Amino acid sequence: MLNKIGDVINSENQNRIGLAFVSMVLGLLLTLQFRATLVQKESLPFQRIEELSARLIDTEKERDTLRAALREVTERQEKESRVANLSDLEMTAGLVGLTGPGLVITIDDSRKTAKAGENMNLYVIHDEDILRVVNELRAAGAEAISLNGQRLTATSEIRCAGPTLSVNNVRSAAPFEIIAIGEVTTLENALKMRGGVVDTLKVWGIQTAISPRTSVEVPPFNGPSPFRHAKPIARGGAGESVKSGNAAGGSAQ
């Protein structure tokens, strides 16, 4: 009898121990799962930060690439602009030969016989006659002009030198050939307008032939530089020069 009671007690104790062990294991598993959930929740912000950091790095790389491309394009445009400006300056200064549509104007002395008492110089081409033709062409938009092979620039002179004309310190005699590049019809109409330079020259029998061309050539200026005293002003530099229109120590009234 006592043995049976002991067996029952031992069986109950074993069940309790097993239940306690199972409960302990279950509690441990629940604790581990809860901690794992907490760790996962806590790690989400860090994952997002890492993702955002990676995106930021990629964006910065793309920004640097775009900056480099923009710098390259800007430098190329500035270089092309400098080259274009230099080319325009060279053409304006007459340092390069040019070609284009224009006129060939030939002017020769009069073949009329002077009447008794008349001044023979009235029937001869003078510097002022050539200047009038050149000024008329420039006013009509001529982009380049030459006279007997000499390029006319802003510093060119046309003046009488005895029976000849001096152009860029080079003497030449009649007939004079003027070549002008520009809009052909406009240039021709400017010379042939009623009461204009051609009509005035005809009064004294001075011969003027105007030939429109689809293509003419104007040579470059090949003389020495006219600048011996003038010097360019350094950018940002301070000098003692007096600006145009102002007297030293005062201003123009």
Side-chain angles (χ1 to χ4, degrees), residues 32-250:
L32 292 175
Q33 183 177 4
F34 178 73
R35 288 184 177 180
T37 302
L38 288 179
V39 170
Q40 184 177 8
K41 289 182 177 180
E42 291 176 355
S43 65
L44 284 177
F46 293 102
Q47 293 176 359
R48 291 175 180 174
I49 291 174
E50 291 178 355
E51 182 180 353
L52 291 175
S53 298
R55 290 183 181 180
L56 179 59
I57 292 173
D58 292 339
T59 303
E60 288 177 344
K61 289 181 179 179
E62 184 178 1
R63 177 203 63 192
D64 294 339
T65 301
L66 292 175
R67 279 182 177 176
L70 177 61
R71 190 183 309 111
E72 181 180 354
V73 171
T74 302
E75 291 176 353
R76 184 170 63 251
Q77 289 178 343
E78 289 178 351
K79 182 178 180 180
E80 292 174 353
S81 177
R82 287 194 299 269
V83 171
N85 290 337
L86 179 59
S87 178
D88 289 343
L89 290 174
E90 287 178 340
M91 289 191 295
T92 303
L95 300 179
V96 293
L98 299 176
T99 184
L103 300 179
V104 176
I105 306 129
T106 304
I107 305 175
D108 203 355
D109 293 333
S110 174
R111 295 180 183 178
K112 286 185 177 181
T113 302
K115 297 178 181 180
E118 280 188 328
N119 188 350
M120 288 293 298
N121 288 327
L122 296 175
Y123 299 91
V124 178
I125 300 171
H126 295 281
D127 53 348
E128 60 184 24
D129 300 322
I130 300 298
L131 283 170
R132 288 187 62 189
V133 174
V134 169
N135 288 337
E136 202 67 59
L137 290 170
R138 283 176 171 165
E143 298 173 2
I145 303 174
S146 68
L147 174 58
N148 279 9
Q150 291 295 317
R151 178 70 170 270
L152 299 183
T153 68
T155 59
S156 295
E157 90 290 343
I158 300 175
R159 56 187 176 85
C160 281
T164 62
L165 291 184
S166 175
V167 183
N168 295 337
N169 289 322
V170 177
R171 292 190 177 189
S172 59
F176 298 102
E177 184 181 73
I178 299 174
I179 299 177
I181 295 177
E183 208 287 314
V184 176
T185 303
T186 303
L187 297 179
E188 187 174 9
N189 289 339
L191 296 179
K192 290 183 175 181
M193 64 181 176
R194 181 175 298 179
V197 59
V198 172
D199 281 355
T200 302
L201 294 176
K202 282 181 180 180
V203 172
W204 306 107
I206 294 176
Q207 305 170 77
T208 304
I210 300 175
S211 177
R213 303 284 181 85
T214 56
S215 178
V216 296
E217 291 185 3
V218 173
F221 176 78
N222 56 9
S225 172
F227 300 104
R228 294 186 178 89
H229 305 288
K231 297 179 181 179
I233 298 175
R235 293 184 178 180
E240 297 180 356
S241 61
V242 179
K243 293 183 179 179
S244 175
N246 293 334

